[in-house]
Amino acid sequence: MTLAFLLPAVLLAGTVSPPAPSVTGPRQTASQEPTFVFRAAGAKRFACAFDSTRLHACPERYSQWLSVGVHTLRVQALSSTGARSRVVTVRVRVASPSGLYTDARVQVGAGAGVPAVAGDAVWVPNTRAGTLSRVDPTSGKVVATLTLGDAVRRGGFLDSAVVAGGGVWVARDAADEIDRVDPATDAIQARIKVASRPGGLATGGGFVWAFHFLGDVVTRLDPATGTKTTFSVPGALGTGIAFAGDAVWLLTVQPSTLVKLDPERGTVLARVAVAPPTAQKHGLIDAWWVTAGSGSLWLANANYDVVTRVDAVTATVVATIPVSAPAPFGVAFFGGAAWVAGSGKVARLDPATNRVTGTVTLSAGSSPFFTQVASGDAGLWATDYDRGLLYRIHVAL
């Protein structure tokens, strides 16, 4: 057999299209990030897309965040020479039995921290990137990114933000600084040096309040002037702060205690032991983050997978609530319920029953150490620190 005869046959064989791919994966699912596996004999690569006829390169094992509803997945196999199979179409229905799900997913920046939620914007401090992202809650898109400082290359730091007095306030954990950003111009108006590691912010009584991670200092800022006042709380190792009942509440550890402070003098008014009567499950930090709502303080016991509820009037523990968000690190109050975030999940707690009434998973395959949640006029939002993602949580009110 001559070479002249073989060559056309080889060329012809190289242009043969691979068979249509098989698609393994759910056709109906509660996961908003389902995984699909593509197979086709002789295929070297695949192209696919959800809800579009314009296909893009896809790995053999593919997943994508999807909103609740019906979606169309199109998949095509390609040979080494680029010959294409016919397109396979698969219908995928994403449902939410609990009625809780994410309806927006926004890529912000590395180390997405605790967001500040206003009516017309969600502000996300990106801890590791050293930036602040402004997100339009209507479009779900980043409309501005402001550089606050150098990128943070060390781990374990978490930046947070709140809105107060017409400004956006950002506690920059590694920089020992609280910045004020003008939302009208997206520009930094003030940089206020504070005690080491401003770990989180709260508003109340006409002020912005900061605790300092594992420190005994509470910082009070006048949002109109930026005037700083500091209080020392003997023996405190701060891990959270909130304002409720005309008082400041500082969360501290070793031992886990919620300390009630006079907002004018910083004097201690009460101490509430908040170590849960359950077995420790993790080796993280015993208590982290606190928020106010429904006449109570709600704090996360990260090592125990519980939330402790404290009555703001009597300064007593009224409930210890097991939660479905492991290693909880974030707490917020929204729509008449408490919300706790941990390991890539957010759970809703009913104040009437002190029980979890629903859980939403933010990112499949991601269990970030810092999962945070915050609320405001633009709804309930959560962040995945590791993947730099912001999610809006759909809540039927």
Side-chain angles (χ1 to χ4, degrees):
M1 187 176 294
T2 66
L3 180 61
F5 178 78
L6 283 174
L7 189 57
V10 172
L11 291 175
L12 181 60
T15 62
V16 173
S17 298
S22 65
V23 179
T24 303
R27 271 47 175 180
Q28 183 159 329
T29 178
S31 171
Q32 289 190 253
E33 213 167 340
T35 298
F36 297 87
V37 177
F38 310 141
R39 293 280 191 273
K44 296 299 182 183
R45 57 190 188 278
F46 296 92
C48 74
F50 271 102
D51 305 322
S52 174
T53 56
R54 298 183 63 180
L55 308 187
H56 54 79
C58 293
E60 183 180 277
R61 185 180 180 87
Y62 181 75
S63 64
Q64 176 182 318
W65 177 85
L66 300 171
S67 60
V68 167
V70 179
H71 300 271
T72 300
L73 171 62
R74 294 178 174 86
V75 187
Q76 189 175 53
L78 287 78
S79 72
S80 59
T81 62
R84 295 173 176 266
S85 74
R86 69 175 177 85
V87 175
V88 172
T89 300
V90 174
R91 299 279 183 180
V92 179
R93 179 183 293 275
V94 179
S96 175
S98 69
L100 291 178
Y101 54 91
T102 57
D103 60 7
R105 178 183 188 263
V106 188
Q107 190 74 56
V108 281
V114 187
V117 183
D120 60 350
V122 180
W123 302 84
V124 186
N126 304 306
T127 310
R128 296 187 68 84
T131 62
L132 179 69
S133 296
R134 178 174 184 158
V135 176
D136 182 337
T138 302
S139 67
K141 295 182 178 180
V142 175
V143 294
T145 300
L146 174 64
T147 298
L148 299 178
D150 295 335
V152 179
R153 304 194 182 280
R154 295 168 290 163
F157 293 98
L158 177 69
D159 290 353
S160 63
V162 296
V163 175
V168 181
W169 299 82
V170 184
R172 298 179 56 216
D173 191 0
D176 302 340
E177 182 175 288
I178 298 175
D179 296 343
R180 187 188 194 278
V181 174
D182 182 357
T185 62
D186 297 337
I188 298 173
Q189 287 185 314
R191 294 183 183 272
I192 303 170
K193 283 296 180 181
V194 294
S196 176
R197 300 206 60 183
L201 302 174
T203 61
F207 296 99
V208 175
W209 303 85
F211 78 89
H212 295 266
F213 181 63
L214 297 183
D216 64 357
V217 173
V218 169
T219 296
R220 187 183 75 185
L221 298 175
D222 184 327
T225 64
T227 301
K228 177 180 68 175
T229 303
T230 59
F231 302 119
S232 179
V233 184
L237 297 172
T239 57
I241 196 164
F243 192 95
D246 297 324
V248 183
W249 298 79
L250 175 68
L251 184 60
T252 176
V253 292
Q254 299 178 13
S256 296
T257 307
L258 194 56
V259 184
K260 184 179 182 181
L261 303 174
D262 181 293
E264 291 299 322
R265 302 172 185 170
T267 52
V268 175
L269 303 176
R271 291 180 182 268
V272 186
V274 293
T278 57
Q280 181 172 325
K281 296 182 178 181
H282 311 289
L284 304 171
I285 193 164
D286 273 4
W288 175 267
W289 220 258
V290 58
T291 195
S294 193
S296 299
L297 285 306
W298 307 77
L299 62 98
N301 293 107
N303 277 340
Y304 301 86
D305 293 351
V306 302
V307 165
T308 298
R309 180 179 183 179
V310 174
D311 187 288
V313 175
T314 63
T316 57
V317 173
V318 295
T320 301
I321 308 167
V323 296
S324 51
F329 260 71
V331 186
F333 201 88
F334 176 74
W339 301 82
V340 57
S343 301
K345 298 178 183 294
V346 177
R348 178 177 58 195
L349 309 182
D350 181 1
T353 63
N354 291 324
R355 294 181 180 273
V356 173
T357 57
T359 304
V360 59
T361 298
L362 301 180
S363 308
S366 178
S367 299
F369 182 68
F370 291 130
T371 305
Q372 283 291 336
V373 61
S375 63
D377 292 342
L380 184 69
W381 298 76
T383 51
D384 181 326
Y385 183 96
D386 293 352
R387 298 175 69 177
L389 291 169
L390 170 71
Y391 292 86
R392 181 173 57 205
I393 300 174
H394 173 84
V395 181
L397 297 179

